[in-house]
């Protein structure tokens, strides 16, 4: 039976009012744009009543897509927008899979089913310890949310973002994440590029992989912070190993694997 939506009321708000205790929503795609080469951000209407913590993720389901494959019509994405922002944003590497072919061509205002939020990959409440974010590529999504929200809330936490990409062209949200330094004196951006000769953009920051030596250059006491890393399993494993061989206690390492990469 078709659902009737009164003028001025979105399907998303009606769905939420009908099921206030459920964590499933129908929302709409508002906008999408490239945020790096091969990486696209999608901005969806934030359903009224949806509350999440910076760092959490949701499941996104395409409704009756024109094509599908063995992986199905649902993907998990970390929420890249901060809770205070108007839209619900995600960002993803645009690989040639059925889900992403449909997502990148979906008409604006199309409905998308979402559920969540899920996960406990969120900033520690203890502001006396620095938080160090070790990030490669698309793993930036939960950290963009945490970093923007911390700036908005004037949090006292010292935050260090180590952000590794092959080239500046590949680094999603690069300028924005650098600019947050102007608004939050407790935040330090440390970008590093691993394949700079292939870049056409100027770069003044670090080069090469995130290593023990790079951490020591920027952090006086390596045992003081809580370390966070997210992204494809290979990147997360490499960062965990680097931290472990640097003598960091397992209890001080928090990870989120983007399974599917
Ligand atoms: C908690 C969580 C948070 C996540 N957050 C994000 C996020 O913020 N952004 C994000 O992009 N992803 C995120 N992911 C991963 C996301 O859910 C997808 O799995 C991922 O984007 C891959 O989807 P896909 O459609 O490209 O590939 P799928 O169709 O899901 O691919 C399935 C399998 O095929 C292989 N495959 C497909 N295409 C290729 C290719 N071109 N080259 C090599 N192998 C290939 C993959 O190895 C994979 O195992 C998250 C996952 C989890 C669990």
């Amino acid at each position: 039976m078709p659902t009737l939506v009164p003028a001025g009321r979105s399907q998303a708000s009606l769905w939420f009012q009908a099921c206030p205790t459920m964590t499933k929503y129908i929302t709409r795609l508002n906008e999408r744009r490239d945020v790096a080469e091969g990486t696209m951000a999608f901005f969806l209407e934030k359903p009224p009543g949806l509350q999440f913590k910076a760092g959490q993720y949701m499941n996104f389901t395409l409704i009756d897509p024109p094509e599908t494959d063995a992986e199905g019509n649902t993907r998990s994405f970390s929420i890249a927008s901060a809770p205070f922002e108007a839209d619900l944003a995600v960002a993803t590497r645009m690989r040639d899979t059925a889900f992403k072919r449909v997502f990148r061509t979906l008409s604006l205002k199309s409905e998308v089913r979402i559920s969540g939020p899920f996960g406990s990959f969120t900033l520690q409440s203890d502001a006396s310890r620095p938080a160090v974010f070790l990030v490669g590529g698309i793993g930036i999504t939960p950290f963009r949310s945490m970093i923007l929200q911390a700036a908005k809330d004037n949090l006292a936490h010292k935050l260090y973002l180590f952000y590794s990409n092959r080239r500046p062209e590949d680094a999603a949200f690069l300028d924005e994440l650098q600019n947050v330094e102007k608004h939050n004196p407790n935040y330090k951006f440390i970008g590093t590029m691993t394949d700079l000769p292939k870049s056409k953009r100027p770069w003044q920051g670090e080069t090469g992989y995130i290593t023990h030596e790079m951490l020591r250059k920027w952090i006086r006491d390596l045992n003081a912070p809580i370390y966070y890393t997210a992204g494809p399993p290979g990147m997360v494993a490499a960062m965990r190993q680097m931290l472990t061989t640097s003598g960091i206690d397992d209890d001080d390492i928090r990870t989120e694997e983007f399974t599917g990469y």
Side-chain angles (χ1 to χ4, degrees):
M1 206 171 74
T3 320
L4 295 176
V5 182
R9 306 273 298 276
S10 73
Q11 181 82 39
S13 71
L14 282 186
W15 176 279
F16 178 74
Q17 279 162 21
C19 328
T21 57
M22 285 184 67
T23 56
K24 293 181 179 171
Y25 310 87
I26 302 280
T27 183
R28 287 175 192 277
L29 180 63
N30 276 345
E31 194 199 338
R32 91 190 120 221
R33 63 169 179 265
D34 291 321
V35 286
E37 272 185 26
T39 304
M40 199 168 248
F42 297 82
F43 300 84
L44 299 121
E45 189 178 310
K46 187 156 67 178
L50 169 63
Q51 294 192 348
F52 66 93
K53 289 186 178 166
Q56 289 192 296
Y57 68 96
M58 297 189 76
N59 288 338
F60 294 75
T61 302
L62 300 173
I63 300 169
D64 298 328
E67 60 167 324
T68 189
D69 61 20
E71 295 295 325
N73 302 330
T74 301
R75 296 288 183 280
S76 302
F77 294 118
S78 297
I79 304 169
S81 49
F84 77 87
E85 292 184 288
D87 281 335
L88 186 69
V90 297
T92 187
R93 291 284 192 228
M94 294 312 293
R95 302 196 310 192
D96 192 21
T97 68
F99 182 97
K100 290 181 180 177
R101 279 194 297 274
V102 175
F103 209 16
R104 84 175 314 153
T105 52
L106 204 61
S107 309
L108 297 184
K109 300 297 165 199
S110 291
E111 292 185 338
V112 176
R113 188 172 296 134
I114 60 176
S115 63
F118 304 112
S120 53
F121 190 70
T122 55
L123 187 64
Q124 85 262 6
S125 50
D126 181 0
S128 70
R129 301 187 68 182
V132 173
F133 305 143
L134 306 176
V135 186
I138 195 61
I140 195 62
T141 47
F143 300 109
R144 180 192 179 276
S145 181
M146 289 188 215
I147 288 164
L148 267 68
Q149 190 67 39
K152 164 90 176 161
D153 294 343
N154 295 315
L155 289 190
H157 300 63
K158 288 235 170 296
L159 306 178
Y160 296 83
L161 172 63
F162 290 81
Y163 187 24
S164 166
N165 285 272
R166 281 178 300 133
R167 306 166 305 156
E169 292 90 326
D170 303 310
F173 309 116
L174 180 61
D175 296 339
E176 185 182 32
L177 290 164
Q178 281 177 308
N179 275 334
V180 176
E181 281 193 340
K182 294 180 192 146
H183 309 292
N184 182 357
N186 292 321
Y187 165 73
K188 181 76 201 158
F189 174 89
I190 304 128
T192 182
M193 301 298 154
T194 59
D195 202 1
L196 205 50
K198 296 216 175 94
S199 172
K200 295 193 176 75
R201 274 179 58 171
W203 178 249
Q204 258 81 52
E206 296 277 358
T207 55
Y209 292 103
I210 301 170
T211 59
H212 173 77
E213 290 68 34
M214 196 184 286
L215 288 188
R216 285 200 48 191
K217 183 171 160 189
W218 294 94
I219 298 165
R220 207 176 309 142
D221 176 6
L222 286 188
N223 290 313
I226 308 244
Y227 294 86
Y228 297 76
T229 183
M235 176 72 193
V236 170
M239 288 299 103
R240 181 180 278 282
Q241 184 170 1
M242 187 271 288
L243 291 171
T244 304
T245 53
S246 298
I248 306 302
D249 196 305
D250 238 20
D251 289 348
D252 295 335
I253 305 173
R254 303 190 182 171
T255 63
E256 179 98 292
E257 285 192 9
F258 290 3
T259 47
Y261 276 112

